[in-house]
Amino acid sequence: MTPYRRAFGRLFLAVLLVAGWGIRAPLADGYANGHLLVETGDLAILLNEPGLGVTDNLRIIDVRPAEDYADGHIPGAIHLSADDVIDPSSHVDGALYDAATLAVMLGARGIDKDSRVILYDDNGGFHASRLFWMLEYLGHRDVAVLNGGWPKWFGEGYAVSTETPDVQSATFAVTLTPRRIATADWLLSHRDDDDVVVIDVRPVSAYAKGHIPWAQNIPWKQNLTDDGVMRSADELIAHFAAHGVTEDTVVAVHCQNGKAAGHTYFTLRLLGFPQVRSYDRSWAEWGTAGDLPVVVEAEG
């Protein structure tokens, strides 16, 4: 995007904000669901433009570790670590708490059905995207990820705060969305379905040590540029198409423990793919079950 187009896009965004339309306009070039990806400059407009009056329902969620949040965060950001949502008592490594517990966590951070949620981390959206999937699965429809996250925000010189905002608790109502989740049984029942593609987003080395026989390996880091921001829509569409993954494909993504899977889930949602699921319990469940089919290509 040229500087002129970027400036025009932000001016257009400000006009929409003044009109009370929120930040849903798909300003990111080429993405079918561009409203799911928020640019740092556009978020700065929300936080710095006086009189826009649209931030009351905005919830910026910092999913980095607590000590990093304490050292400095985006002004107004609320802390919810990526690990806070993980149930340590689960026999599946990385598995989430039950929906009722998650609803309490989200409500305590002021998130209700009317909230606009923007998530960010410091690893290219790796952790933020898992919570993006989680919120969509729990039924929240107005959620986005900050492109480039904290490193881009800080590197561009935007405001930093060490204050913890006072947030009025809310009621987060759960409406589970089954079409956003895959289970081991679901994967087994669709193993011979030519319209279903299973993507293992782990590194090549982890995939070689053991994977679902009909899963193909497309590592999640390939969604990003070297600068840790999302690749262009054209690049990503061509990238997935080369693996036979297109908009008319039903896609189930998985990783080691649900975190990285969220990144490719988010990427495909950003591109407008309508049928995307996350096998959130991922290899942590499948690889240890003992009675599920596994292929091993390399030892060690």
Side-chain angles (χ1 to χ4, degrees), residues 59-206:
R59 297 291 179 265
I60 305 170
I61 306 297
D62 185 322
V63 305
R64 298 176 300 153
E67 58 270 23
D68 294 334
Y69 173 82
D71 285 343
H73 50 264
I74 295 174
I78 307 159
H79 184 249
L80 177 63
S81 166
D83 289 338
D84 288 345
V85 300
I86 293 173
D87 183 357
S89 68
S90 174
H91 71 281
V92 176
D93 182 42
L96 298 176
Y97 280 110
D98 61 89
T101 301
L102 294 173
V104 172
M105 287 185 182
L106 296 168
R109 287 157 177 85
I111 301 173
D112 62 20
K113 65 181 180 61
D114 297 319
S115 299
R116 169 66 166 168
V117 180
I118 299 176
L119 303 154
Y120 74 90
D121 61 25
D122 56 3
N123 191 21
F126 177 85
H127 295 293
S129 294
R130 204 272 180 97
L131 270 67
F132 173 91
W133 168 80
M134 182 189 81
L135 279 160
E136 286 210 325
Y137 174 60
L138 293 176
H140 197 73
R141 299 291 179 254
D142 200 353
V143 56
V145 171
L146 183 66
N147 196 16
W150 174 253
K152 191 169 186 290
W153 179 271
F154 184 79
E156 292 173 342
Y158 291 115
V160 174
S161 175
T162 57
E163 296 182 4
T164 301
D166 291 328
V167 178
Q168 183 175 353
S169 62
T171 299
F172 184 91
V174 173
T175 306
L176 294 181
T177 310
R179 65 189 177 90
R180 293 302 182 196
I181 194 169
T183 62
D185 287 343
W186 188 93
L187 293 175
L188 286 168
S189 68
H190 289 83
R191 66 179 301 172
D192 297 320
D193 190 335
D194 292 337
D195 294 325
V196 175
V197 175
V198 179
I199 300 175
D200 184 330
V201 309
R202 296 176 298 161
V204 173
S205 58

